[in-house]
Amino acid sequence: EAQVTQNPRYLITVTGKKLTVTCSQNMNHEYMSWYRQDPGLGLRQIYYSMNVEVTDKGDVPEGYKVSRKEKRNFPLILESPSPNQTSLYFCASVSGGELFFGEGSRLTVL
Amino acid sequence: AQSVTQLDSQVPVFEEAPVELRCNYSSSVSVYLFWYVQYPNQGLQLLLKYLSGSTLVKGINGFEAEFNKSQTSFHLRKPSVHISDTAEYFCAVTFAHNQAGTALIFGKGTTLSVSS
């Protein structure tokens, strides 16, 4: 089954404790992206990757890092999480004009 | 710069009534336009997209949208809604020179609530 898989789906952590949200797609898509969704703000792009070893900042990249060492994986790294990074995060891959979204990762930073 | 405005944050309707969710965009160049739906506790899925050609686009679940270049709008419509259409709907835009689907700018969303 074609899918984008994110883990963890839910996480509560504390300020400053590094964490990684993994994202994997099995559709061989070149383009992948991370979004955060906040009430009243819609979805905002954090980082995207056009292909392996090619990443670039989206609209709200501060406090985040990404890597793209393999085509299928695009992890999102929060080196020192802060409460303003409490949000719902979505990973997506693109093909044929369509974004395929993961089911989301709800992160709470205390 | 591009922007997307969804004119209604919440739209309550009764079952079997028609609905229109409004979306306006701002761009000085050609664009691609999308509508996505998010059901509770799920990720987003594509309802329909306009890349080129006919300005009336039909999507899944009986939804359709019309691209109006002169009014820079891409309103979503359904002639008769069901309870199961209750969800949040997002309009999105990207420059036409981008690989379609990349660098999307999303609206803030419209919550459609269908009641019996």
Side-chain angles (χ1 to χ4, degrees):
Chain A
E1 180 189 354
Q3 59 186 4
V4 178
T5 304
Q6 299 178 224
N7 280 295
R9 294 287 314 281
Y10 302 92
L11 179 64
I12 300 174
T13 190
V14 296
T15 298
K17 185 175 181 182
K18 180 179 178 179
L19 68 92
T20 299
V21 186
T22 63
C23 174
S24 180
Q25 50 99 359
N26 62 1
M27 296 169 279
N28 203 37
H29 292 165
E30 293 182 344
Y31 184 96
M32 298 184 73
S33 181
W34 276 102
Y35 291 86
R36 60 177 289 173
Q37 182 180 12
D38 302 289
L41 296 178
L43 278 83
R44 294 176 293 168
Q45 191 177 49
I46 304 170
Y47 269 93
Y48 63 94
S49 169
M50 301 291 281
N51 212 328
V52 175
E53 302 292 0
V54 181
T55 63
D56 210 343
K57 296 177 181 179
D59 298 317
V60 288
E62 295 77 21
Y64 304 95
K65 288 174 60 176
V66 292
S67 69
R68 187 88 182 276
K69 293 183 169 53
E70 308 165 277
K71 201 171 192 178
R72 63 183 292 125
N73 296 323
F74 190 44
L76 179 70
I77 303 155
L78 286 73
E79 293 272 3
S80 182
S82 62
N84 64 12
Q85 292 179 297
T86 292
S87 187
L88 178 58
Y89 292 87
F90 287 101
C91 179
S93 65
V94 177
S95 177
E98 180 174 351
L99 275 165
F100 294 83
F101 283 86
E103 293 193 332
S105 296
R106 186 168 294 281
L107 171 65
T108 301
V109 183
L110 301 175
Chain B
Q2 301 164 305
S3 66
V4 178
T5 303
Q6 292 184 240
L7 297 162
D8 306 291
S9 59
Q10 298 195 20
V11 174
V13 294
F14 288 110
E15 195 172 20
E16 298 184 10
V19 71
E20 178 180 80
L21 305 185
R22 298 179 295 165
C23 173
N24 284 102
Y25 69 92
S26 158
S27 176
S28 57
V29 298
S30 296
V31 296
Y32 297 143
L33 294 154
F34 306 81
W35 276 98
Y36 281 84
V37 60
Q38 183 181 29
Y39 297 106
N41 300 313
Q42 294 187 24
L44 284 75
Q45 66 180 89
L46 182 69
L47 265 181
L48 48 80
K49 62 187 177 190
Y50 171 80
L51 303 182
S52 65
S54 172
T55 57
L56 182 63
V57 180
K58 293 191 184 296
I60 62 172
N61 301 338
F63 283 93
E64 64 180 32
E66 185 153 21
F67 170 54
N68 188 320
K69 189 175 182 180
S70 62
Q71 297 191 2
T72 61
S73 67
F74 191 54
H75 301 333
L76 180 71
R77 300 185 184 98
K78 187 169 182 177
S80 176
V81 294
H82 303 292
I83 298 282
S84 59
D85 292 322
T86 294
E88 190 155 19
Y89 293 79
F90 292 95
C91 182
V93 64
T94 188
F95 288 128
H97 64 256
N98 288 332
Q99 176 187 348
T102 64
L104 257 63
I105 305 296
F106 283 86
K108 294 182 179 180
T110 297
T111 300
L112 175 63
S113 301
V114 183
S115 56
S116 57

